[in-house]
Amino acid sequence: MSTLSTTLPDTQEAPSHEPLGRPAGMLVRLWSMFVARPDLRNGTLSLFDQAVVSGTGFLTGVIIGRLCTKEELGIYYLALSIFYLARGIQEQLICAPYVIYCQGRREDAQALYTGSSLLHFLGLSGVLVVALFGFLGILALGLGPASLAPAIWVLLGALPFLQLREFLRRLAIAHLQLTTAVVIDVAVSLLQLGGLLTLAYFHQLTVPRAYGVMGIACAIAGLGWFISKSQPLQLKWSTAVADWWGNWGFARWALASHIIGFATPSLMPYLVAAVHGSAEAGVLGACVNIVGTASTFMIGLASFLIPRAAQAFAQGGVPELRKVLRTATMVYACVLGAFAIIVLLSGDFLLVLAFGSKYSGYGSTIGVLSLGMMAQSLGLTAGIGLWAIDRPRANLSADICTLVVTLGVALCLLPGMGVLGAALGDLAGKVVGALIRELTLRRLLKTFPQAAEG
C-alpha cells in the first residue's frame, strides 16, 4: 500500500478550548487516508456497493415474506435460485475471465475485448431464455411445483435484464470503477423497492409481479449505462469468436467448479420442498436471507479481492499474493466470526424481527447457517488465490467434495430434522471444501520460485 501523500494537520496543536478540533482533525486524517490509499478506497466502495445489492435483495425478501404467504415466499426463492444459477454461469463464462485477462491491455484492444464480452453476454442470454422454456415444459409435465410456472413466465422476460445489470457492474468492478457500479446498483435499488412498495400499497403484490418490477428496474439502469458510455467498447464478431476461445481455457474449469459448487444451494430448496413442502422451503429461504446479510460483506470484499489478487500476483508474484490473501483471511475470520456469535446468541430474534412470528423457532437453523458462511469465506479466499495464479481447475476437487458431503449429510438429516438438517449439511460441506481448497492452494504456491521469498 502507498503511504500518505498529503500533509496531515497536527491536531495536538489545537487549542484546548476548541472541542471540535480533535474530532475534526481525526476526520481529516481518515479522509486523507481514504483518498491516498487506493486499496482502502476501492475496498470501501466495493463493500458499500455490495451492501446496496444485498440490502435490496434482503428487503425484497422481507416485503414478500411479510405481505405474502409462506408458500409464496417459497416460490419466490425457488425462482430466485434459477436466477442465481444463470448469474453464476454468466459470471464464470464471461465475467471471471474478463477480470483476469483485461489487465494491462491497450485502450484499443480493451475496447475490442469489452465489445467481445458484450456479444458473449447476448449469446448466453439467448441460450438461458431457451433453457427457461425447457424448464417450463418440465413443470407442465408435473415434474415440479405447478405454482412456480407463473413466476417463470415472467422471468423469461426479466432474466436478460437481470443478467445485464450483473454484467455491467462486473465490468465496472473489473476496472476498479467502483463509483460506476455504485450508481448502477443504487438506481436499481431505488426503482425496485419503490415499485414493490407501490404494488404493496395497492394490494397488487404477487411473486410474478415482483420479478416484473425487478426486470424493469435493471432495464432502466442498463439503458443509463449505455447512454453514459461508461466503458469504451467496439463490437467485432471475428474478435469476439477469438476472445471466446481465448477465455475458454479459464472459463471451462471455472464453470465446472461453479456448477458443482452451486448445485447444493440451488438444489437444497427443492429437496426441502420435496420432503416437507413449499412452506418449509420458504422457511429455509427466510433463514438464508437473514444470514445473507453477512454475505454483503463477504461478496463485496471478494469482488474487490479478485482483481486485486490478480494484480498482486502479476506485479509482485507469490509474496504479494500471500499478503493480500492473509489480510483477507484475517478480516473475514474476525467479521464473520463475530456475526456468527451474534446470531447464535440471539436465537430466532432476527428472523422474527424481519419476517414475523410465523417464522419463530428456527434460531438453531440460522445459527448453523452463519457458521457455514464463515467457513465459506475462508474457502473463498483460497479460491481467489487459485484464480489469481490461473489455476481455476484446482477448485474442482474442493467443490466435488463439498457437494458430496453436503448432500450426504442433508439427505440423512432432512427427513427427521427438517431445515436444521439442511443447514447442518451445508455447514459440513463448506468446512470440508474450505480445508481442501486451502491445502490445494498451499501446494500449488510451492511450485512457484517466488514462494520462497514469502
Side-chain angles (χ1 to χ4, degrees):
M1 290 186 181
S2 60
T3 56
L4 294 179
S5 58
T6 57
T7 301
L8 300 178
D10 186 356
T11 57
Q12 294 180 351
E13 296 180 2
S16 59
H17 62 275
E18 295 182 9
L20 295 179
R22 190 174 298 276
M26 185 177 297
L27 289 175
V28 170
R29 286 177 181 273
L30 291 174
W31 177 252
S32 299
M33 184 181 298
F34 183 80
V35 171
R37 300 195 179 195
D39 280 356
L40 177 62
R41 181 176 65 252
N42 290 328
T44 302
L45 287 173
S46 181
L47 290 174
F48 176 75
D49 176 65
Q50 188 59 46
V52 173
V53 174
S54 298
T56 303
F58 174 78
L59 291 175
T60 298
V62 169
I63 291 171
I64 294 174
R66 280 195 168 273
L67 300 179
C68 300
T69 65
K70 283 185 178 181
E71 289 74 13
E72 288 175 305
L73 184 62
I75 293 300
Y76 168 74
Y77 280 113
L78 290 174
L80 193 65
S81 68
I82 295 174
F83 163 62
Y84 284 160
L85 177 60
R87 184 182 66 181
I89 293 173
Q90 175 178 284
E91 173 73 20
Q92 311 310 315
L93 283 181
I94 301 173
C95 300
Y98 186 91
V99 170
I100 302 300
Y101 296 141
C102 74
Q103 309 296 332
R105 291 178 180 253
R106 299 190 315 272
E107 185 176 349
D108 54 342
Q110 182 60 67
L112 280 170
Y113 191 43
T114 303
S116 295
S117 296
L118 178 60
L119 293 175
H120 299 162
F121 158 77
L122 293 173
L124 179 61
S125 294
V127 172
L128 292 173
V129 168
V130 171
L132 275 183
F133 273 112
F135 184 66
L136 282 169
I138 293 174
L139 292 177
L141 294 174
L143 303 175
S147 54
L148 180 58
I152 302 301
W153 277 110
V154 176
L155 198 59
L156 277 171
L159 183 62
F161 298 110
L162 296 174
Q163 296 286 85
L164 177 64
R165 177 266 191 98
E166 291 297 325
F167 172 75
L168 296 179
R169 67 186 295 265
R170 290 299 177 186
L171 282 187
I173 293 172
H175 295 284
L176 297 179
Q177 298 172 350
L178 278 305
T179 302
T180 299
V182 168
V183 170
I184 291 172
D185 292 326
V186 168
V188 170
S189 178
L190 293 175
L191 291 168
Q192 180 173 318
L193 295 178
L196 292 174
L197 291 174
T198 300
L199 287 175
Y201 179 80
F202 290 103
H203 305 287
Q204 298 296 315
L205 180 63
T206 64
V207 172
R209 287 172 181 167
Y211 278 105
V213 168
M214 292 162 65
I216 292 171
C218 292
I220 294 173
L223 179 62
W225 186 91
F226 283 104
I227 292 175
S228 66
K229 297 180 180 178
S230 299
Q231 180 67 35
L233 58 88
Q234 182 179 346
L235 303 179
K236 190 174 181 180
W237 282 105
S238 59
T239 303
V241 172
D243 286 334
W244 175 266
W245 291 113
N247 291 346
W248 181 243
F250 182 100
R252 59 180 177 173
W253 295 112
L255 178 62
S257 179
H258 173 78
I259 289 176
I260 294 172
F262 192 75
T264 302
S266 183
L267 290 174
M268 196 62 74
Y270 291 90
L271 290 176
V272 173
V275 176
H276 294 285
S278 297
E280 284 296 287
V283 171
L284 178 63
C287 293
V288 170
N289 206 10
I290 292 294
V291 176
T293 57
S295 71
T296 299
F297 181 81
M298 182 179 72
I299 299 173
L301 186 56
S303 297
F304 164 69
L305 281 175
I306 294 172
R308 181 66 186 91
Q311 185 184 70
F313 181 71
Q315 296 177 356
V318 172
E320 288 301 314
L321 176 61
R322 280 178 166 166
K323 290 179 183 178
V324 172
L325 297 182
R326 276 198 299 264
T327 302
T329 298
M330 289 188 293
V331 172
Y332 274 142
C334 292
V335 174
L336 295 181
F339 175 81
I341 291 173
I342 292 172
V343 171
L344 287 167
L345 292 177
S346 62
D348 63 3
F349 172 75
L350 296 175
L351 187 65
V352 173
L353 180 65
F355 291 94
S357 58
K358 58 185 175 182
Y359 292 92
S360 62
Y362 294 95
S364 298
T365 300
I366 61 173
V368 172
L369 288 173
S370 67
L371 292 174
M373 183 74 67
M374 184 174 66
Q376 182 182 359
S377 70
L378 301 180
L380 177 62
T381 304
I384 290 172
L386 292 172
W387 275 20
I389 62 176
D390 201 10
R391 298 291 192 276
R393 181 178 182 177
N395 279 304
L396 197 58
S397 59
D399 289 314
I400 292 174
C401 291
T402 300
L403 175 63
V404 172
V405 172
T406 302
L407 290 182
V409 174
L411 288 174
C412 290
L413 300 181
L414 187 58
M417 302 181 69
V419 291
L420 179 58
L424 288 169
D426 174 77
L427 174 61
K430 286 175 178 175
V431 169
V432 171
L435 289 173
I436 295 175
R437 220 179 299 271
E438 178 63 27
L439 292 174
T440 302
L441 176 62
R442 291 187 180 187
R443 175 175 57 82
L444 289 176
L445 288 181
K446 292 179 181 179
T447 66
F448 291 89
Q450 302 96 317
E453 301 174 22

